[in-house]
């Protein structure tokens, strides 16, 4: 045996030990966080599962815990999410495309980029304050579904922009050059190639943004959402012409997390199980949205190969 | 230092009506042994020939870096012109000037002219729309880069951007392009399958078909076979030789044998300069410059 081989073995052995230690630590941390998540979920389920009857989704809130439901809350959440998506999707995607495909690379666009990334870290209540001043008082949009949707839309805009840019950047430059090489204009390259190939990534970003927005409470309270609503906004679609109306946009509303908040703050323990049930609905909704995002990404990866 | 390279006939330089100018009969062509020049490529010297493009004093800058230095040469219509030279000498840069590919990236600057005949327009002039140039001058890239769409849509795409809407015409032209690219028989039953399901060699022929569909006047090939096996390479080379009947071809290659097999003219570039330009047979047997000789004999560096 040559001198030195032994030292080498010791060194390799030590590194292998580090490997094993780190692997163990990582696995432990992962299990811990999964365990905490599971514990939270199980806790909610134990307390709230019994309340998850059809009536719970079809009843308005009530002073009697047993008869209270989340009808106005989930309808409000759905409508607010509609407005949020409708506001954030076009603006965010357009901004992402512009930054990635069109913007000249200079200090001005650098500043814009840095700010977009920073905006993602701004506390959500700041968006609420901004919306209160701008949308409620300045533009007089009231404490409405429109205001809430626009507020949350602003809040998730950075997520949409960043994920749009990432999805676009994943389109190989060789594909762009192939299209340009055939005589496609910038707009054609974007429309025919860049957007279709990155649509799954963009939607993933939008869904993740929405799943964050659906649980937001602070900015919605800031703009003055009500905590007790026993009526539904006017229906967006109807059987008589013109079939679609937008009155619901200016309607007062409540959303799931606010309904939860309202129930939690009541002394009667029966309301606590209502809150747990509403929380369960919220968690399941969020998990469902995230699953959809994962599925979209998976399908795109299978469908589009370079 | 200004170097101008002309093919035997310096008088055509400023002649705007160059179409149909005859090249004086070429010198006797040495027979070449193992390298295997296609003698039939060089035999038809009495055939009337014209200049398709003329590069005059072309300089190109990537930001502050001067990648092409005063390049001047002529490209013969319906011939294959090969660009050879060590890695980084500017072959791709030169090729990509022809279809203004550099316009996509900030900080690039062209000086000089590339005149396209018979129109006699300067491709690099600011008032020339690069989009139009790219329709007239197609490009095939080093790595096959089909769109992640169907085989049919890949070939049809060029037609769609040129505004062709008639389905019948699109079908006919797609079939013709695929036949020209010697791919039709292999894909005619699977036109609507994804292009990425093809093999590498088939993908490259698909990219050639995609480029041919809009009937460009010049096709630029940037090392089209470097990612392919010898059999796929041979089929692409055969294709290039057939294509020159209809289009003018510029091809970058690292493979001397390939340059010998497919091209009639060869340009040797080194450090952004055009060192030597002439008939392939002459460049490979009697190079005039020391650098050229070192490069083609493999004694480079
Ligand atoms: N985008 C760029 N920005 C700056 N310099 C570049 C860029 N692309 C190429 N260059 C430089 O320009 C010179 C020529 O590059 P080019 O790609 O044309 O070489 P090439 O002859 O095609 O080489 P290869 O045979 O390796 O493909 C090289 O020195 C390279 O470093
Ligand atoms: Mg190159």
């Amino acid at each position: 045996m040559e001198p030195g081989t032994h030292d080498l073995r010791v060194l390799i052995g030590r590194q292998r030990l580090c490997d094993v230690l780190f692997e163990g630590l990582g696995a432990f941390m992962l299990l811990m966080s999964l365990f905490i998540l599971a514990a939270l979920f199980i806790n909610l389920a134990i307390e709230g599962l019994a309340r998850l009857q059809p009536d719970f989704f079809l009843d308005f809130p009530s002073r009697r815990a047993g008869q209270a439901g989340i009808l106005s809350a989930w309808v409000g959440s759905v409508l607010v999410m509609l407005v949020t998506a409708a506001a954030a999707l076009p603006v965010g995607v357009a901004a992402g495309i512009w930054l990635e495909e069109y913007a000249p690379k200079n200090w001005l666009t650098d500043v814009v980029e840095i700010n977009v990334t920073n905006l993602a870290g701004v506390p959500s209540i700041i968006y609420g304050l901004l919306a209160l001043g701008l949308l409620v008082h300045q533009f007089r949009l009231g404490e409405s579904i429109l205001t809430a949707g626009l507020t949350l839309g602003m809040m998730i805009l950075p997520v949409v922009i960043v994920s749009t840019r990432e999805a676009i950047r994943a389109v190989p430059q060789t594909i762009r050059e192939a299209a340009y090489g055939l005589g496609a204009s910038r707009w054609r390259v974007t429309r025919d190639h860049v957007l279709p190939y990155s649509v799954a990534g963009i939607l993933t970003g939008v869904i993740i943004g929405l799943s964050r927005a659906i649980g937001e409470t602070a900015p919605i309270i800031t703009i003055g959402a009500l905590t007790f609503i026993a009526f539904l906004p006017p229906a967006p679609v109807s059987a008589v012409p013109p079939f679609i109306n937008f009155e619901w946009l200016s309607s007062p509303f409540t959303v799931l997390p606010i309904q939860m908040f309202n129930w939690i703050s009541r002394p009667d323990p029966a309301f606590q199980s209502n809150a747990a049930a509403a929380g369960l609905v919220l968690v399941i909704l969020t998990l469902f949205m995230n699953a959809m995002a994962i599925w979209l990404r998976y399908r795109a990866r299978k469908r589009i190969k370079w | 230092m200004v170097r101008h390279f002309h093919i035997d006939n310096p008088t055509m330089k400023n002649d705007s009506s160059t179409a149909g100018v005859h090249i004086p009969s070429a010198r006797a062509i040495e027979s070449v042994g193992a390298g295997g020049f296609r003698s039939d490529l060089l035999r038809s010297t009495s055939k009337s020939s014209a200049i398709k493009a003329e590069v005059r004093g072309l300089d190109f800058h990537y930001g502050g870096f001067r990648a092409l230095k005063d390049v001047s040469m002529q490209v013969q219509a319906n011939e294959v012109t090969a660009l050879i030279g060590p890695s980084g000498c500017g072959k791709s840069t030169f090729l990509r000037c022809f279809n203004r590919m550099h316009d996509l990236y900030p900080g690039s600057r062209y000086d000089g002219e590339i005149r396209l005949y018979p129109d006699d327009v300067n491709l690099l002039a600011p008032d020339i729309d690069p989009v139009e140039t790219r329709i007239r001058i197609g490009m095939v890239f080093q790595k096959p880069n089909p769109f992640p769409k169907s085989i049919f849509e890949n070939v049809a795409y060029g037609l769609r951007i040129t505004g062709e809407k008639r389905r019948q015409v699109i079908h006919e032209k797609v079939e013709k392009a695929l036949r020209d690219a010697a791919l039709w028989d292999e894909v005619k039953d699977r036109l609507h399958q994804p292009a990425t399901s093809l093999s590498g060699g088939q993908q490259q022929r698909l990219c050639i078909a995609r480029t041919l569909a809009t009937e460009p006047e010049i096709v630029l090939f940037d090392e089209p076979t470097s990612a392919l096996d010898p059999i796929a390479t041979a089929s692409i080379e055969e294709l290039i030789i057939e294509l020159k009947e209809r289009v003018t071809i510029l091809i970058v290659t690292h493979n001397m044998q390939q340059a010998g097999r497919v091209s009639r003219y060869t340009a040797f570039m080194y450090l952004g300069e055009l060192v030597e330009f002439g008939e392939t047979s002459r460049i490979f047997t009697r190079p005039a410059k020391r650098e050229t000789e070192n490069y083609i004999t493999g004694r480079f560096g």
Side-chain angles (χ1 to χ4, degrees), chain A residues 173-175 177-184 188 192-193 197 304-306, chain B residues 96 101 104-105 131 134-135 141 145-149 157 160-161 196 210:
Chain A
Q173 192 59 23
T174 55
I175 294 284
E177 289 198 348
Y180 280 118
L182 287 168
R188 288 299 300 251
D192 299 341
H193 300 283
Y197 307 154
I304 295 180
K305 297 197 198 80
W306 310 111
Chain B
R96 290 159 67 91
M101 216 49 160
L104 299 180
Y105 305 98
V131 167
R134 294 182 197 129
I135 291 172
F141 298 80
N145 55 355
F147 302 129
K149 297 178 186 270
Y157 187 66
R160 295 197 197 285
I161 46 184
T196 41
R210 179 174 70 184

Coordinates of all heavy atoms in Angstrom, one line a residue, chain A residues 173-175 177-184 188 192-193 197 304-306, chain B residues 96 101 104-105 131 134-135 141 145-149 157 160-161 196 210:
Chain A
Q173 N -33.6 30.4 -27.0 CA -33.3 31.4 -27.9 C -33.3 30.8 -29.4 O -33.6 31.5 -30.3 CB -32.0 32.1 -27.6 CG -31.7 33.4 -28.3 CD -32.8 34.4 -28.1 OE1 -33.5 34.4 -27.1 NE2 -32.9 35.4 -29.1
T174 N -32.8 29.6 -29.5 CA -32.7 29.0 -30.8 C -34.1 28.9 -31.5 O -34.2 29.0 -32.7 CB -32.2 27.5 -30.7 OG1 -32.9 26.8 -29.8 CG2 -30.7 27.6 -30.3
I175 N -35.2 28.7 -30.7 CA -36.5 28.7 -31.2 C -36.9 30.0 -31.7 O -37.5 30.2 -32.8 CB -37.5 28.2 -30.2 CG1 -37.2 26.7 -29.8 CG2 -38.9 28.3 -30.6 CD1 -37.7 25.7 -30.8
E177 N -34.8 32.3 -32.7 CA -34.1 32.6 -33.9 C -34.6 31.9 -35.1 O -34.6 32.4 -36.2 CB -32.6 32.3 -33.7 CG -31.9 33.2 -32.7 CD -30.4 33.2 -32.8 OE1 -29.9 32.2 -33.5 OE2 -29.7 34.1 -32.3
A178 N -35.1 30.7 -34.9 CA -35.7 29.9 -36.0 C -36.9 30.7 -36.6 O -37.0 30.9 -37.8 CB -36.2 28.6 -35.6
A179 N -37.7 31.3 -35.7 CA -38.9 32.0 -36.2 C -38.5 33.3 -36.8 O -39.0 33.7 -37.9 CB -39.9 32.3 -35.0
Y180 N -37.6 34.1 -36.2 CA -37.1 35.3 -36.8 C -36.5 35.0 -38.1 O -36.7 35.8 -39.1 CB -36.1 36.0 -35.8 CG -36.7 36.8 -34.7 CD1 -36.5 36.4 -33.4 CD2 -37.5 37.9 -35.0 CE1 -37.0 37.2 -32.3 CE2 -38.1 38.6 -33.9 CZ -37.8 38.2 -32.6 OH -38.4 39.0 -31.6
G181 N -35.7 33.9 -38.2 CA -35.0 33.6 -39.4 C -36.0 33.4 -40.6 O -35.6 33.5 -41.7
L182 N -37.2 33.0 -40.3 CA -38.2 32.8 -41.4 C -38.9 34.1 -41.8 O -39.7 34.1 -42.7 CB -39.2 31.8 -40.9 CG -38.8 30.3 -40.8 CD1 -39.8 29.5 -40.1 CD2 -38.5 29.8 -42.2
G183 N -38.6 35.1 -41.0 CA -39.2 36.4 -41.4 C -40.3 36.8 -40.5 O -41.1 37.6 -40.8
A184 N -40.4 36.2 -39.3 CA -41.5 36.6 -38.4 C -41.1 37.9 -37.7 O -39.9 38.1 -37.4 CB -41.7 35.5 -37.3
R188 N -45.2 38.5 -34.1 CA -45.5 37.1 -34.5 C -44.7 36.1 -33.7 O -45.3 35.1 -33.3 CB -45.2 36.9 -36.0 CG -46.1 37.6 -37.0 CD -47.5 37.2 -36.9 NE -47.8 35.8 -37.1 CZ -48.4 35.3 -38.2 NH1 -48.7 36.1 -39.2 NH2 -48.6 34.0 -38.3
D192 N -47.0 33.6 -31.7 CA -47.0 32.2 -32.3 C -46.1 31.3 -31.5 O -46.4 30.1 -31.6 CB -46.6 32.2 -33.8 CG -47.5 33.0 -34.6 OD1 -48.6 33.3 -34.2 OD2 -47.1 33.4 -35.8
H193 N -45.1 31.8 -30.9 CA -44.2 30.9 -30.2 C -44.0 31.1 -28.7 O -44.4 30.3 -27.9 CB -42.8 30.9 -30.9 CG -42.9 30.6 -32.4 ND1 -43.0 29.3 -32.8 CD2 -43.0 31.3 -33.5 CE1 -43.2 29.2 -34.1 NE2 -43.2 30.4 -34.5
Y197 N -45.8 28.6 -25.9 CA -44.9 27.6 -25.2 C -44.8 27.9 -23.7 O -44.3 27.1 -23.0 CB -43.5 27.6 -25.9 CG -43.5 27.4 -27.4 CD1 -42.5 27.9 -28.2 CD2 -44.6 26.7 -28.0 CE1 -42.5 27.7 -29.5 CE2 -44.6 26.6 -29.4 CZ -43.6 27.0 -30.1 OH -43.6 26.9 -31.5
I304 N -44.4 19.8 -24.4 CA -43.4 20.6 -25.1 C -42.0 20.2 -24.8 O -41.5 20.2 -23.7 CB -43.6 22.1 -24.7 CG1 -45.0 22.6 -25.2 CG2 -42.5 22.9 -25.4 CD1 -45.3 24.0 -24.9
K305 N -41.4 19.6 -25.8 CA -40.0 19.2 -25.7 C -39.2 20.0 -26.7 O -39.7 20.3 -27.8 CB -39.8 17.7 -26.0 CG -40.5 16.8 -25.0 CD -40.0 15.4 -25.1 CE -40.9 14.4 -24.5 NZ -42.0 14.0 -25.5
W306 N -38.0 20.5 -26.3 CA -37.3 21.3 -27.3 C -36.4 20.4 -28.1 O -35.8 19.5 -27.6 CB -36.4 22.3 -26.6 CG -37.2 23.1 -25.6 CD1 -37.1 23.0 -24.2 CD2 -38.3 24.0 -25.9 NE1 -38.1 23.9 -23.7 CE2 -38.8 24.5 -24.7 CE3 -38.8 24.5 -27.1 CZ2 -39.8 25.4 -24.6 CZ3 -39.9 25.4 -27.0 CH2 -40.3 25.8 -25.7
Chain B
R96 N -24.5 35.5 -40.2 CA -25.6 36.1 -39.6 C -25.8 37.6 -40.0 O -26.8 38.2 -39.7 CB -25.6 36.0 -38.1 CG -25.8 34.5 -37.7 CD -25.3 34.2 -36.3 NE -26.0 34.9 -35.3 CZ -27.1 34.4 -34.6 NH1 -27.5 33.2 -34.9 NH2 -27.7 35.1 -33.7
M101 N -29.4 38.9 -38.5 CA -29.8 38.2 -37.3 C -29.3 39.0 -36.1 O -29.8 39.0 -35.0 CB -29.2 36.8 -37.3 CG -30.0 35.8 -36.6 SD -31.7 35.8 -37.1 CE -32.3 34.2 -36.7
L104 N -31.3 41.5 -33.7 CA -32.1 41.1 -32.6 C -31.4 41.4 -31.3 O -32.0 41.4 -30.2 CB -32.3 39.5 -32.6 CG -33.1 39.0 -33.8 CD1 -33.2 37.5 -33.6 CD2 -34.4 39.6 -33.8
Y105 N -30.1 41.7 -31.3 CA -29.3 41.9 -30.1 C -28.8 43.3 -30.0 O -28.3 43.8 -31.0 CB -28.2 40.8 -30.0 CG -28.8 39.4 -30.1 CD1 -28.7 38.7 -31.3 CD2 -29.4 38.8 -29.0 CE1 -29.3 37.5 -31.4 CE2 -30.0 37.6 -29.1 CZ -29.9 36.9 -30.3 OH -30.5 35.7 -30.4
V131 N -37.0 42.0 -41.6 CA -38.0 41.0 -41.7 C -38.1 40.5 -43.2 O -38.2 39.3 -43.5 CB -39.3 41.5 -41.2 CG1 -40.5 40.6 -41.6 CG2 -39.3 41.6 -39.7
R134 N -35.1 38.5 -44.2 CA -35.1 37.1 -43.7 C -36.1 36.2 -44.5 O -36.0 35.0 -44.4 CB -35.4 37.1 -42.2 CG -34.4 37.8 -41.4 CD -34.6 37.7 -39.9 NE -33.8 38.7 -39.2 CZ -34.3 39.6 -38.4 NH1 -35.5 39.6 -38.1 NH2 -33.4 40.4 -37.8
I135 N -37.1 36.8 -45.1 CA -37.9 36.0 -45.9 C -37.2 35.6 -47.2 O -37.3 34.5 -47.7 CB -39.2 36.8 -46.3 CG1 -40.1 36.9 -45.0 CG2 -40.0 36.0 -47.4 CD1 -41.3 37.8 -45.2
F141 N -29.7 26.2 -38.9 CA -28.8 26.4 -37.8 C -28.0 25.2 -37.5 O -28.3 24.1 -38.0 CB -29.6 26.8 -36.6 CG -30.3 28.1 -36.7 CD1 -31.5 28.2 -37.4 CD2 -29.8 29.3 -36.3 CE1 -32.2 29.4 -37.6 CE2 -30.4 30.5 -36.4 CZ -31.6 30.6 -37.1
N145 N -33.5 22.9 -34.8 CA -34.4 23.7 -33.9 C -35.8 23.7 -34.4 O -36.3 24.8 -34.6 CB -33.8 25.1 -33.6 CG -33.6 25.8 -34.9 OD1 -33.8 25.3 -36.0 ND2 -33.3 27.1 -34.8
P146 N -36.5 22.6 -34.5 CA -37.9 22.6 -34.9 C -38.7 23.2 -33.8 O -38.4 23.1 -32.7 CB -38.2 21.1 -35.1 CG -37.3 20.4 -34.3 CD -36.0 21.2 -34.2
F147 N -39.8 23.8 -34.3 CA -40.8 24.3 -33.3 C -41.5 23.2 -32.6 O -41.7 22.1 -33.2 CB -41.8 25.2 -33.9 CG -41.3 26.4 -34.7 CD1 -41.7 26.6 -36.0 CD2 -40.4 27.2 -34.1 CE1 -41.1 27.7 -36.7 CE2 -39.9 28.3 -34.8 CZ -40.3 28.5 -36.1
P148 N -41.8 23.3 -31.3 CA -42.6 22.2 -30.7 C -44.0 22.2 -31.2 O -44.9 22.3 -30.4 CB -42.5 22.5 -29.2 CG -42.2 24.0 -29.1 CD -41.5 24.4 -30.4
K149 N -44.2 22.0 -32.5 CA -45.5 21.9 -33.1 C -45.4 20.7 -34.0 O -44.4 20.0 -34.0 CB -45.8 23.1 -34.0 CG -45.8 24.5 -33.2 CD -46.1 25.6 -34.2 CE -46.0 27.0 -33.5 NZ -47.3 27.5 -33.0
Y157 N -45.1 27.2 -41.4 CA -45.0 28.4 -40.6 C -44.6 29.6 -41.5 O -45.1 30.7 -41.4 CB -44.2 28.3 -39.4 CG -44.2 29.5 -38.5 CD1 -45.4 29.9 -37.9 CD2 -43.1 30.4 -38.4 CE1 -45.5 31.0 -37.1 CE2 -43.2 31.5 -37.6 CZ -44.4 31.8 -37.0 OH -44.5 33.0 -36.3
R160 N -47.3 30.8 -43.5 CA -48.3 31.6 -42.8 C -47.8 33.0 -42.5 O -48.6 33.9 -42.6 CB -48.6 30.9 -41.5 CG -49.3 29.5 -41.7 CD -49.9 29.0 -40.4 NE -50.2 27.6 -40.4 CZ -51.2 27.1 -41.2 NH1 -52.0 27.8 -41.9 NH2 -51.4 25.8 -41.2
I161 N -46.5 33.2 -42.2 CA -46.1 34.6 -41.9 C -46.0 35.4 -43.2 O -46.0 36.6 -43.1 CB -44.8 34.7 -41.1 CG1 -43.7 33.8 -41.6 CG2 -45.0 34.5 -39.6 CD1 -42.5 33.9 -40.7
T196 N -40.7 17.1 -32.7 CA -39.6 16.6 -31.9 C -39.6 15.1 -31.7 O -38.6 14.6 -31.1 CB -39.8 17.2 -30.5 OG1 -41.2 17.2 -30.1 CG2 -39.4 18.7 -30.4
R210 N -38.4 23.6 -43.8 CA -39.1 24.8 -43.3 C -38.5 26.0 -43.9 O -39.2 27.0 -44.2 CB -38.9 24.8 -41.8 CG -39.4 26.0 -41.0 CD -39.3 25.8 -39.5 NE -37.9 25.9 -39.1 CZ -37.4 25.8 -37.9 NH1 -38.3 25.4 -36.9 NH2 -36.2 25.9 -37.6

